[in-house]
Amino acid sequence: MSHLEAVPATDAQLLRAHIQGDPDAFGELFRRHKDRMWAVAVRTTRDPEIAADAVQDGFISAFRRAESFRGDSQVTTWLHRIVVNACLDRMRRIRPTAELPEYDLADRHDRHASAEVRIDVQQALGEIPEAQRLALTLVDMQGLSVAETAQVLEVAEGTVKSRCARGRAALAELLRDRQGDGYGAAR
């Protein structure tokens, strides 16, 4: 495997090496993708504790089921699908108690407006249907293509486009309503 040390192995090569018994290959996949999977899990679950558990569940599942990777998508798309499914499984078990994470807003001097906007967006995301939220999270926040998102969510590309469009429209309306209220100003 000395040639893999000289030239970084692709994700697919690492997954094959893992399946063939390389004890370090999956660890490298984990190191490469843990941050991105964490980000998608936090945005999907809106709870860092649940996200951490879901990422762990997802990577354990990927480790155990590596042979199930068919190679018809990128390894990252396959990992996204596994982690999103782990998030959904965790959320279904605890619903409806999952709430938005608390933000430390004690130091709001310079970031007051941007913190309020972030909170408004996070809360608005929590109010739109789950299918729309997942599509928006993967496409707009994680930068996956519509095709990759369709593979992760196991739906047609047109469905992803539709969910994104509806989700964006719903978010725009919710945010417009919040800003129109003047953040609590008397009417």
Side-chain angles (χ1 to χ4, degrees), residues 102-112 115 118-119:
E102 291 183 28
Y103 291 90
D104 179 13
L105 297 177
D107 183 22
R108 292 168 53 148
H109 308 301
D110 298 337
R111 301 180 198 180
H112 179 75
R118 277 196 316 273
I119 290 170

Side-chain angles (χ1 to χ4, degrees), residues 38-170:
W38 162 255
V40 79
V42 167
R43 288 190 173 115
T44 301
T45 64
R46 302 178 323 255
D47 183 308
E49 211 170 295
I50 296 169
D53 291 340
V55 169
Q56 181 177 335
D57 292 349
F59 273 105
I60 289 171
S61 179
F63 181 90
R64 291 180 178 157
R65 296 182 18 224
E67 311 82 39
S68 73
F69 178 70
R70 295 183 306 253
D72 55 356
S73 66
Q74 293 182 26
V75 172
T76 54
T77 302
W78 177 72
L79 287 172
H80 270 95
R81 181 182 312 130
I82 292 170
V83 170
V84 166
N85 285 337
C87 290
L88 296 175
D89 289 345
R90 287 239 169 219
M91 289 168 52
R92 284 184 194 110
R93 282 186 241 151
I94 62 165
R95 209 177 231 118
T97 59
E99 294 181 16
L100 293 171
E102 291 183 28
Y103 291 90
D104 179 13
L105 297 177
D107 183 22
R108 292 168 53 148
H109 308 301
D110 298 337
R111 301 180 198 180
H112 179 75
S114 65
E116 282 191 6
V117 168
R118 277 196 316 273
I119 290 170
D120 281 349
V121 170
Q122 195 68 19
Q123 288 174 338
L125 274 171
E127 293 176 30
I128 66 173
E130 182 178 89
Q132 293 172 8
R133 183 177 66 250
L134 288 173
L136 285 176
T137 296
L138 294 172
V139 173
D140 291 348
M141 298 175 185
Q142 291 299 308
L144 268 65
S145 69
V146 169
E148 289 172 319
T149 300
Q151 288 179 334
V152 168
L153 298 178
E154 298 176 331
V155 298
E157 289 182 31
T159 302
V160 171
K161 291 177 184 177
S162 173
R163 288 177 182 177
C164 285
R166 288 187 184 127
R168 288 181 194 118

Side-chain angles (χ1 to χ4, degrees), residues 167-182:
R168 288 181 194 118
L171 277 178
E173 186 64 32
L174 288 166
L175 293 172
R176 194 171 18 258
D177 289 347
R178 284 190 170 90
Q179 290 178 342
D181 288 341

